[in-house]
Amino acid sequence: MAATGSSDGEAGTQWAALAGVTAALAMFGAAQGLSSPLFTLLMQKQGMSPALIGLSAAMMPLGLILSASFVPAAIRLVGARNLAVGCSLIGALCFLGIGYLQDWVGWFVIRFIIGIVINPLYILGEVWALSLAPPSRRGRVMGAFNTVLGAGYAAGPLVLTAVGISGWVPFLVGMAGFILCAAILRAVSSSLAGFEDDGQLPGGFFGFARLAPALLFAVLVSAAVQQGTYALMPVFGAAYGLPERTLAALVMALSLGNIFLQIPLGLLAERFGGRAMIIFCALATTACAVLLPLLITTPAIWLVLLVMGAVGYGVYTMALVELGTRFKGTVLVAGNAAFALMWGAGGVVGPPGAGALMQVIGPLGLPVVIAGLDALLVSFALYRSFKRQTPDRPKNS
């Protein structure tokens, strides 16, 4: 009986810690979800071109790329918990600077700094969630994790539709999101693994890339599609004559897709496997991209955006499920750091690439980039699956 009670207590602590991490990342997600359409609408109001707006959006993922390889060392230096809390507070200070400057040139620099400081939050939040999730329920746990994170992202644009883009209110909301993230992580920190003394994966990013190239490419595509869509969907809608408040609502609809469909996708991953669900989500995203220009001025666009938001980010969720299934400990941390680097790389590719193509061929540039990237992902994933089934070949992803 004593052993059972102890086990129940440990399980309760584990679920409480998981809930705390999830809530903290939701606050962080709210700040991030607000920032993308806010910057786009402010820069569009100042007369900036789609290409320049896309380039500004790439500053944050550029910070992710350049900082990803240093996160494991930072964890060992100051500790996982201290790093996460400190970065949350720095993120709040960045939003203060953004609101104070109100200058798009300064925003480039601050968005780059935000990319650096949010990287540990992405990496540690997901590693903690994967480590705390029971293996048999990892799909639904990560689905719920990303559902709550998606709710945070949706809350950001929702605030924007209510308060507009003028004044300090949207910037104060962003600051509050980061401060609440820091407070929650601090409160549950005693139940979170540190990973400070867990060693290193030989070869760093390239060592993990040899283990799982298909997973990393899936993250790259998901990031390029999601960040490109979030940054440029308002520009796409404006080209079809939609009003300003509707433009912010388009981004909100993408985020709501995470809220309603990430858990069902996670349950499907438990049944069919993360690898198969990556392909399914990529195919569904391609179909939604084809429908965008056909339905943008009709009520059906809201359903398309809900599905597109779910399956577009679902590619990343499924890659996380596969990562947690295949790797543990040191390799899991290294893999998540590699995911962060590829997420940043996708953000550098997606918004500027889609923005530049939109400038050349018009609004169709956005769905063309989305469909093209997802088609490449499906092709590469099928190729890697074929190689795994070929006799006498290493069974790496």
Side-chain angles (χ1 to χ4, degrees):
M1 293 297 292
T4 301
S6 176
S7 177
D8 290 343
E10 290 176 1
T13 301
Q14 182 181 40
W15 286 111
L18 181 59
V21 170
T22 303
L25 269 289
M27 298 300 100
F28 157 69
Q32 289 300 102
L34 176 142
S35 68
S36 184
L38 175 62
F39 278 116
T40 296
L41 293 171
L42 286 173
M43 295 182 71
Q44 196 170 25
K45 190 175 182 179
Q46 294 180 15
M48 301 295 102
S49 68
L52 191 58
I53 293 173
L55 185 62
S56 175
M59 290 299 100
M60 188 187 73
L62 182 61
L64 289 174
I65 291 174
L66 295 181
S67 65
S69 60
F70 298 104
V71 172
I75 291 172
R76 292 192 298 273
L77 182 64
V78 302
R81 307 168 192 86
N82 291 335
L83 182 63
V85 172
C87 285
S88 298
L89 296 176
I90 294 173
L93 291 176
C94 286
F95 261 82
L96 178 64
I98 292 166
Y100 176 76
L101 285 175
Q102 288 290 316
D103 178 76
W104 67 269
V105 177
W107 292 343
F108 269 66
V109 178
I110 294 180
R111 292 183 91 174
F112 174 75
I113 296 172
I114 289 176
I116 293 176
V117 300
I118 67 174
N119 215 2
L121 297 175
Y122 274 125
I123 293 171
L124 288 171
E126 290 170 351
V127 170
W128 278 325
L130 287 168
S131 300
L132 291 167
S136 63
R137 298 182 180 181
R138 184 172 286 118
R140 72 194 75 181
V141 166
M142 296 312 297
F145 177 83
N146 283 320
T147 291
V148 178
L149 186 58
Y153 276 108
L158 182 62
V159 169
L160 210 55
T161 62
V163 304
I165 62 174
S166 301
W168 270 96
V169 174
F171 300 101
L172 292 175
V173 171
M175 292 175 61
F178 277 104
I179 292 171
L180 286 171
C181 178
I184 296 170
L185 286 177
R186 187 65 183 172
V188 301
S189 63
S190 62
S191 301
L192 301 178
F195 306 112
E196 291 88 348
D197 301 315
D198 206 20
Q200 300 183 61
L201 174 70
F205 169 80
F206 295 103
F208 185 81
R210 287 191 292 270
L211 292 176
L215 291 184
L216 293 184
F217 189 59
V219 173
L220 175 75
V221 169
S222 181
V225 167
Q226 191 198 38
Q227 294 182 58
T229 305
Y230 273 60
L232 294 167
M233 183 58 69
V235 180
F236 180 83
Y240 289 88
L242 300 181
E244 182 179 290
R245 287 192 179 272
T246 301
L247 301 182
L250 295 176
V251 180
M252 184 180 68
L254 290 166
S255 296
L256 288 174
N258 284 340
I259 298 174
F260 292 119
L261 296 176
Q262 287 303 303
I263 293 177
L265 288 175
L267 291 170
L268 289 172
E270 290 178 8
R271 181 173 181 180
F272 298 106
R275 189 187 307 272
M277 288 302 297
I278 288 172
I279 296 173
F280 168 79
C281 288
L283 288 172
T285 305
T286 302
C288 290
V290 172
L291 292 173
L292 278 179
L294 301 176
L295 301 176
I296 185 63
T297 59
T298 73
I301 191 61
W302 302 109
L303 178 60
V304 171
L305 291 174
L306 283 173
V307 174
M308 187 174 183
V311 294
Y313 192 71
V315 171
Y316 182 75
T317 302
M318 300 303 103
L320 274 178
V321 171
E322 187 72 6
L323 178 72
T325 299
R326 295 182 54 205
F327 303 110
K328 310 295 177 188
T330 301
V331 182
L332 179 60
V333 176
N336 216 279
F339 271 31
L341 192 153
M342 296 305 289
W343 185 266
V348 170
V349 170
L357 191 58
M358 289 174 76
Q359 202 161 332
V360 174
I361 68 173
L364 286 178
L366 180 61
V368 166
V369 167
I370 294 170
L373 287 172
D374 277 291
L376 284 175
L377 172 58
V378 171
S379 300
F380 185 60
L382 290 174
Y383 166 72
R384 292 296 301 179
S385 294
F386 174 77
K387 286 191 69 175
R388 284 174 59 87
Q389 294 170 7
T390 302
D392 302 322
R393 286 187 180 273
K395 293 187 178 182
N396 290 333
S397 172

